[in-house]
Amino acid sequence: MKALLVFEYRRGKLTEGNSELIDFAAGLCAQCAGVLIGEESALPAFEGKLYLGDIAVCKEYGPELHADIILQAAQKENPDYIIFTHAPYGWDLAPRVAAKLKAAQISEITGLSDGKFEVGCCSGKMRRLVRPATPRAVLTLQEGAFPFTGKAGGTPEVEKLVPTGTGSGPELAGFKEAEKHGLDLSGAEVIVSAGRGVGKKDNIPVIAELAAALKGEMGASRPVVDAGWLEHTRQVGATGQVVSPKLYVACGISGAIQHLSGMRNSEFIVAINKDKEAPISEIADVMVITDLMPFVAALTAQLKKI
Amino acid sequence: MKILVCAKQIPDLASKLGPDTANLWLDETDLPFQINEYDEYAVEEAVKLKEQRGAEPTELTVLSVGPPRVLEMLKKALAMGCDRGVHIEDDESSTKDPWQIASLIAAYAEKENFDIIFTGMQSQDRGSAQVGPTLAEALGYACATTVIAFGLEGGVITAERELEGGARSVVKLKPPAVITCELGLNTPRYPTLPNIMKARKKPIAVLKSAELGVESPRLITEKFYAPVRKGGGLVLEGEAAGLAGKVIEILKERTTVLRG
């Protein structure tokens, strides 16, 4: 079995998900080759062939030219699997590569079972076991789903590739930095976060009062920030801040993977939710199943008496 | 200009979920359905673009693949400001893979020559994030994914793509193009009562998926199930005041945050 790993390089560095790809391929017992649009000064550490497209020519974002290089590498290696991380780079490129190869794409892989793939669905509440109906498949790997062993190492053998086409389509015009975090949640000992279950903006001050009673900071899940109920600087998760307080109180947060990846290392997690099966129950130390707002008000009132 | 927005109707995922008798997808009995949230942003962005174009001729079509229940969602999109609806009727859409769904939409769209196609970056129930770019490939359109800001000026689309950590890349592309929308791209409007009334008169064309041609699947689902629960966390149920007292006891015992 052969795997072609698609590494990602952004703004002068390899991105973090790259080593997980190498570990996942080891789990598949696949022989590995890699492909990277990047620079020779920063190569992923593994033993095997690495096809390198020049970033000065292909640019950091340019789906046509990136797909061009990946397809050339696939032609040379004839892999069973072409593997991306399930993240913006993979979301953008994997379907294009799969379409060009007329191959199945399996998204958001969370596990392996007997040559079949387990994928997440229904906001993390359910799983599907799927297999490709095509001779080869494009896979995107859920980040953090497979243990990172850190065992991979070595120096790949580089073969340079030049794009065959000129590349029309979207062109990169620049980057915008993340909003400067006026507020650093990473040092907070207690974080009380509001999620969609809070119901409306008018309820935010009630959550803020609980945060104050616990002498903590207030955080938020993405839907609350998107709705404009709280500022982005308070967002916890993959597109916000990564936190590990002594106590994390999740108020009406179901626990999308993006949110969990930002707070799963909290020392103690209390989640208040109406849905006993919400994905946050997987990592919560205490799951309180009740109506959120009356409970938060009662908890705040009792804390103030201590 | 012709604009298409593709929307999916999905079950309310906060409901109790379980597999159907074949163990291949959800048992849909008693599940409430609603518009996929990502697609709601796509509809809003398409309506905004039409409004911005003012007197310039613009036709905005909303399309959905699914069983007859999706008509309700198409009516909502029409009440938000789309001009006409297209329902690709398919009672078995939930068994189809992203390639098959994208091919159905492409079979319809290739005859229509849309300039811009908006859709959600992914659906909340399947989450494959494949249909948009696969549709673009089938039509030979340019495509920008995970778009969190969108503008069209002088025939050039400028889109901001959301990356990890809240950073964005700015990309430029020319129509015809597919744009896949991220959460937070805009603030979807609530349809007003007069617009709901007006929408009743807007046309919805119904096509059968078999007429468009169904491709063979590239992906086979073997099983659908709830994950094994690893979390051995304590579950508390009851009325608010009593639960609050219990939680305080637990915090005193197992954390240091209530000390001093």
Side-chain angles (χ1 to χ4, degrees):
Chain A
M1 193 181 295
K2 237 176 174 182
L4 179 65
L5 312 179
V6 184
F7 299 111
E8 183 190 357
Y9 186 81
R10 193 187 306 150
R11 310 178 82 178
K13 282 195 295 203
L14 285 166
T15 55
E16 283 172 9
N18 289 302
S19 18
E20 287 183 36
L21 290 177
I22 300 167
D23 280 347
F24 175 78
L28 272 174
C29 301
Q31 191 194 335
C32 271
V35 54
L36 171 73
I37 285 94
E39 288 174 296
E40 236 167 327
S41 55
L43 299 179
F46 75 107
E47 289 298 338
K49 190 84 173 249
L50 180 76
Y51 296 93
L52 185 67
D54 188 349
I55 202 148
V57 178
C58 302
K59 308 290 189 259
E60 280 190 31
Y61 175 82
E64 308 272 328
L65 293 183
H66 284 224
D68 181 326
I69 299 288
I70 294 164
L71 290 174
Q72 283 188 56
Q75 198 167 15
K76 284 172 185 278
E77 289 292 322
N78 196 25
D80 301 280
Y81 300 116
I82 300 174
I83 312 178
F84 295 81
T85 48
H86 192 67
Y89 187 67
W91 296 336
D92 192 76
L93 262 180
R96 305 178 199 255
V97 170
K100 290 179 204 293
L101 291 171
K102 301 188 181 355
Q105 183 188 335
I106 302 177
S107 300
E108 200 187 328
I109 296 175
T110 55
L112 286 170
S113 166
D114 207 13
K116 290 160 193 159
F117 299 93
E118 185 186 71
V119 301
C121 58
C122 299
S123 292
K125 281 174 80 171
M126 301 297 287
R127 298 281 185 273
R128 291 193 305 148
L129 192 67
V130 299
R131 64 176 167 84
T134 52
R136 64 170 66 159
V138 172
L139 315 178
T140 69
L141 207 60
Q142 178 59 55
E143 283 177 277
F146 295 89
F148 171 56
T149 64
K151 277 189 201 148
T155 312
E157 179 202 335
V158 174
E159 180 177 334
K160 292 185 181 173
L161 294 176
V162 179
T164 51
T166 50
S168 47
E171 272 178 34
L172 183 64
F175 285 98
K176 277 193 174 175
E177 299 302 330
E179 268 177 74
K180 283 274 171 274
H181 291 148
L183 172 79
D184 184 7
L185 290 176
S186 65
E189 292 206 344
V190 177
I191 296 174
V192 178
S193 278
R196 190 198 297 272
V198 164
K200 53 183 177 179
K201 192 173 185 176
D202 294 353
N203 283 336
I204 295 289
V206 183
I207 309 292
E209 255 192 84
L210 174 59
L214 285 164
K215 300 183 184 67
E217 284 290 351
M218 190 150 182
S221 71
R222 177 168 186 151
V224 164
V225 172
D226 285 344
W229 298 350
L230 276 168
E231 57 274 34
H232 180 262
T233 52
R234 295 197 181 270
Q235 187 175 318
V236 173
T239 52
Q241 300 198 47
V242 175
V243 300
S244 50
K246 288 185 173 165
L247 172 65
Y248 191 90
V249 184
C251 303
I253 295 176
S254 67
I257 289 160
Q258 289 77 359
H259 187 77
L260 299 186
S261 69
M263 46 67 76
R264 66 165 69 245
N265 291 326
S266 303
E267 283 178 35
F268 199 80
I269 300 169
V270 176
I272 306 130
N273 211 295
K274 264 194 268 189
D275 182 3
K276 211 187 280 189
E277 281 156 14
I280 200 156
S281 68
E282 284 282 316
I283 62 163
D285 295 283
V286 180
M287 196 66 193
V288 184
I289 310 298
T290 188
D291 275 338
L292 178 67
M293 297 317 298
F295 172 78
V296 169
L299 183 58
T300 306
Q302 293 192 27
L303 282 167
K304 281 183 178 166
K305 287 188 209 148
I306 295 177
Chain B
M1 174 179 272
K2 289 178 75 173
I3 307 169
L4 177 69
V5 55
C6 305
K8 179 178 182 181
Q9 197 190 34
I10 61 149
D12 176 2
L13 298 172
S15 312
K16 187 163 174 52
L17 305 178
D20 57 17
T21 50
N23 289 313
L24 290 176
W25 186 237
L26 287 168
D27 178 358
E28 293 188 354
T29 321
D30 299 334
L31 284 182
F33 279 80
Q34 59 199 30
I35 185 169
N36 174 42
E37 197 175 2
Y38 293 85
D39 298 336
E40 194 172 2
Y41 287 97
V43 172
E44 175 64 30
E45 200 61 26
V47 173
K48 268 174 65 186
L49 177 59
K50 182 182 157 78
E51 288 172 347
Q52 279 158 15
R53 288 174 51 79
E56 296 282 321
T58 309
E59 186 190 48
L60 172 53
T61 305
V62 56
L63 173 149
S64 189
V65 182
R69 61 169 155 70
V70 308
L71 283 170
E72 188 194 335
M73 180 198 68
L74 287 173
K75 282 177 193 156
K76 175 178 177 175
L78 294 175
M80 285 172 76
C82 297
D83 298 313
R84 64 187 188 106
V86 171
H87 175 201
I88 300 182
E89 197 180 318
D90 191 329
D91 288 341
E92 284 160 3
S93 57
S94 68
T95 67
K96 292 195 163 57
D97 70 17
W99 147 250
Q100 291 175 297
I101 298 291
S103 301
L104 283 173
I105 301 171
Y108 163 75
E110 68 186 359
K111 295 174 214 133
E112 295 281 330
N113 292 316
F114 291 106
D115 299 287
I116 301 180
I117 300 179
F118 290 97
T119 190
M121 170 261 156
Q122 63 179 350
S123 62
Q124 289 163 290
D125 58 350
R126 285 292 175 84
S128 78
Q130 291 178 30
V131 172
T134 309
L135 173 64
E137 286 290 324
L139 294 171
Y141 282 21
C143 177
T145 57
T146 61
V147 170
I148 188 87
F150 173 89
L152 173 67
E153 216 179 297
V156 177
I157 294 167
T158 302
E160 292 179 17
R161 301 184 57 236
E162 189 171 64
L163 307 172
E164 296 92 333
R168 298 169 175 197
S169 64
V170 184
V171 303
K172 291 192 183 288
L173 63 163
K174 283 187 180 155
V178 174
I179 304 294
T180 78
C181 303
E182 249 299 353
L183 303 179
L185 168 62
N186 50 44
T187 309
R189 69 194 67 192
Y190 289 104
T192 60
L193 192 59
N195 285 340
I196 292 171
M197 301 306 283
K198 257 192 254 170
R200 289 185 179 169
K201 295 194 187 100
K202 293 180 180 176
I204 299 180
V206 182
L207 305 167
K208 304 267 183 205
S209 58
E211 294 162 15
L212 290 164
V214 178
E215 296 282 348
S216 310
R218 290 181 176 170
L219 199 60
I220 308 292
T221 301
E222 300 249 329
K223 206 174 136 195
F224 175 78
Y225 52 97
V228 180
R229 306 229 156 244
K230 297 183 282 265
L234 185 65
V235 177
L236 301 176
E237 290 179 82
E239 52 85 38
L243 286 176
K246 271 189 207 163
V247 168
I248 288 173
E249 288 312 308
I250 292 166
L251 291 182
K252 279 183 180 165
E253 210 174 291
R254 295 185 52 191
T255 76
T256 55
V257 298
L258 296 183
R259 291 176 199 162

